[in-house]
Amino acid sequence: MRYLITGGAGFMGSNFTRYILRKYSDAVVLVYDKLTYAGRLENLHDVKDDPRFKFIKADICDEEQLVKAVKEFQPDAIINFAGETHVDRSINEPAPFLKTNVLGVFNILETARKLETPLVVHVSTDEIYGNLWGKEPADEEAPFRPSSPYSASKASGDLLCQSYWRTYRLPVIIVRPSNNYGPYQFPEKFIPKTIIRALHGKPIPIYGRGDQVRDWLYVEDFAEAMDTVINKGSKGEAYNVPGFNERRNLEVVETILKLMGKPKSLIKHVEDRPGHDRRYAMRGDKILALGWRPRTPWVEGLERTIKWYIENEWWWRPLLSDDYFQLDTPWRKG
Ligand SMILES: NC(=O)c1ccc[n+]([C@@H]2O[C@H](COP(=O)([O-])OP(=O)(O)OC[C@H]3O[C@@H](n4cnc5c(N)ncnc54)[C@H](O)[C@@H]3O)[C@@H](O)[C@H]2O)c1
């Protein structure tokens, strides 16, 4: 099978690329990635010399480049991981989020429609359902109530996919994962930030009281969920991919510190993020019915992640900016 993976040089896309090349000897992959600050060829260092792997540096918002790539590569599926992904950045500067997460998705759908690509799989997010504190976990039919510019842009991309199925019968499947964690995640994100700061004995910021609940899923388990949906999912459907592993933020940091043998005194409570959703939660009946379930137990996944960051300083050290260890809230930098 021929996979055109947009955003394949990012955290989840690179883990998916690695998974597919390992699992299928006849897989051919074209990673199509703009290489924003979050996308790096270092994320693909171990597959870049594989003859089944190709890479092109290009923007999903650039119609000409995308059409050319799809015409030349003739994918069986376009798998869209490309996105602007950091909620804090979307509060500070929403424009790139609207561009990539809405117009970029539109461009992929239009290209697939015109060139009759057999399948598009779009990666959405659990954040589109908004704050579910004190409520039932969302099933795939639950209303969208995004709180941040990031989640609003993701909800828009998701709705465009739905409309292309209903209007044009474009063969598209939507996947809505919960919070992923694991190797190759950019150091600005919660779990790598905690690990890297703990390694340096630096204070670890927690927004507000740290009682926000997220549902954590190991990134390789998500790659397996994507593979399941590609092979067994129904076109026109959306699939939630929960981790079945809800944890309070404070608990996450405390567990990491314990596993690393670091003191809890490193935790520093800072001003909460505006519009911060207290809880995300999804039902997973549809993906479970396809035969997938997460394999990696929480503490084991954390241990593997910590070990990876300890052993791969070459990967994250160049990414630390001068102010990396400051406690300023990003939306105040503006
Ligand atoms: N990380 C999570 O926990 C999580 C949870 C739910 C959903 N998601 C979604 O999964 C997808 C992947 O997330 P991630 O954590 O791997 O993100 P990431 O920020 O690590 O990677 C995003 C990748 O997209 C590329 N990209 C950005 N704009 C592009 C453009 N215009 N054209 C081409 N490439 C572009 C970047 O260069 C980068 O390689 C995103 O759509 C995100 O919204 C992530």
Side-chain angles (χ1 to χ4, degrees):
M1 180 159 167
R2 299 174 72 79
Y3 302 80
L4 193 156
I5 304 178
T6 51
F11 163 51
M12 287 156 71
S14 62
N15 276 288
F16 176 72
T17 299
R18 190 170 290 111
Y19 176 91
I20 286 297
L21 288 171
R22 196 173 55 220
K23 180 161 179 188
Y24 299 109
S25 58
D26 61 346
V28 182
V29 169
L30 171 63
V31 165
Y32 180 110
D33 196 298
K34 184 179 171 184
L35 299 183
T36 66
Y37 78 95
R40 302 172 75 210
L41 285 176
E42 286 87 339
N43 295 359
L44 296 159
H45 66 101
D46 50 345
V47 295
K48 74 174 185 343
D49 296 326
D50 189 318
R52 301 168 299 151
F53 172 82
K54 300 169 207 311
F55 175 79
I56 170 176
K57 181 178 184 315
D59 189 335
I60 57 167
C61 300
D62 185 327
E63 191 187 338
E64 209 174 299
Q65 277 186 315
L66 189 62
V67 166
K68 186 166 177 284
V70 174
K71 268 190 183 154
E72 283 176 12
F73 185 65
Q74 292 290 323
D76 298 303
I78 299 176
I79 316 291
N80 181 32
F81 283 94
E84 285 293 338
T85 61
H86 193 43
V87 178
D88 290 345
R89 286 178 188 256
S90 86
I91 296 169
N92 216 24
E93 198 191 350
F97 288 75
L98 273 289
K99 211 169 164 226
T100 290
N101 299 352
V102 185
L103 292 177
V105 174
F106 165 69
N107 207 22
I108 288 173
L109 295 170
E110 269 297 276
T111 305
R113 181 169 80 89
K114 285 180 190 149
L115 300 181
E116 299 183 356
T117 304
L119 179 65
V120 175
V121 182
H122 172 67
V123 181
S124 181
T125 170
D126 61 352
E127 298 200 22
I128 59 171
Y129 298 121
N131 182 19
L132 292 180
W133 184 256
K135 297 193 182 142
E136 288 298 309
D139 65 18
E140 286 81 354
E141 302 305 317
F144 291 5
R145 291 204 174 90
S147 299
S148 68
Y150 163 70
S151 51
S153 69
K154 292 296 290 183
S156 308
D158 192 309
L159 287 169
L160 277 169
C161 292
Q162 296 180 39
S163 77
Y164 267 65
W165 165 254
R166 295 204 193 111
T167 305
Y168 306 109
R169 280 289 180 261
L170 182 89
V172 57
I173 303 179
I174 299 161
V175 181
R176 299 180 185 142
S178 63
N179 272 34
N180 274 229
Y181 71 102
Y184 299 98
Q185 188 166 28
F186 203 78
E188 69 187 354
K189 300 282 168 60
F190 182 50
I191 286 183
K193 184 163 75 182
T194 301
I195 296 169
I196 292 171
R197 281 175 180 262
L199 277 174
H200 289 83
K202 296 279 186 186
I204 295 161
I206 278 269
Y207 292 149
R209 285 183 304 190
D211 55 3
Q212 304 85 358
V213 174
R214 299 292 181 262
D215 175 20
W216 293 96
L217 173 63
Y218 194 63
V219 66
E220 282 179 22
D221 291 343
F222 179 65
E224 198 169 1
M226 286 293 284
D227 184 39
T228 305
V229 166
I230 291 165
N231 288 302
K232 298 189 192 160
S234 299
K235 288 159 188 159
E237 293 290 324
Y239 293 88
N240 289 344
V241 185
F244 305 102
N245 179 40
E246 289 189 34
R247 307 280 165 184
R248 285 179 305 119
N249 282 353
L250 191 59
E251 181 196 340
V252 173
V253 175
E254 285 176 354
T255 309
I256 293 172
L257 290 175
K258 193 167 166 216
L259 291 171
M260 294 178 72
K262 302 283 180 179
K264 276 192 200 176
S265 56
L266 289 179
I267 297 172
K268 295 279 175 282
H269 292 268
V270 299
E271 182 193 335
D272 205 355
R273 171 195 279 165
H276 204 175
D277 290 327
R278 187 122 175 236
R279 174 175 176 246
Y280 298 130
M282 295 186 295
R283 293 187 66 89
D285 311 44
K286 282 175 76 176
I287 183 91
L288 291 177
L290 297 184
W292 173 88
R293 42 203 30 72
R295 288 174 196 272
T296 313
W298 170 232
V299 171
E300 189 186 314
L302 276 184
E303 281 171 345
R304 277 157 73 176
T305 306
I306 293 166
K307 186 166 182 279
W308 188 86
Y309 280 89
I310 290 173
E311 289 174 354
N312 290 280
E313 187 171 339
W314 70 270
W315 181 89
W316 53 262
R317 176 66 63 190
L319 299 174
L320 304 193
S321 59
D322 290 345
D323 59 0
Y324 184 75
F325 292 112
Q326 287 185 8
L327 284 174
D328 274 357
T329 45
W331 52 88
R332 289 191 177 279
K333 283 186 196 159

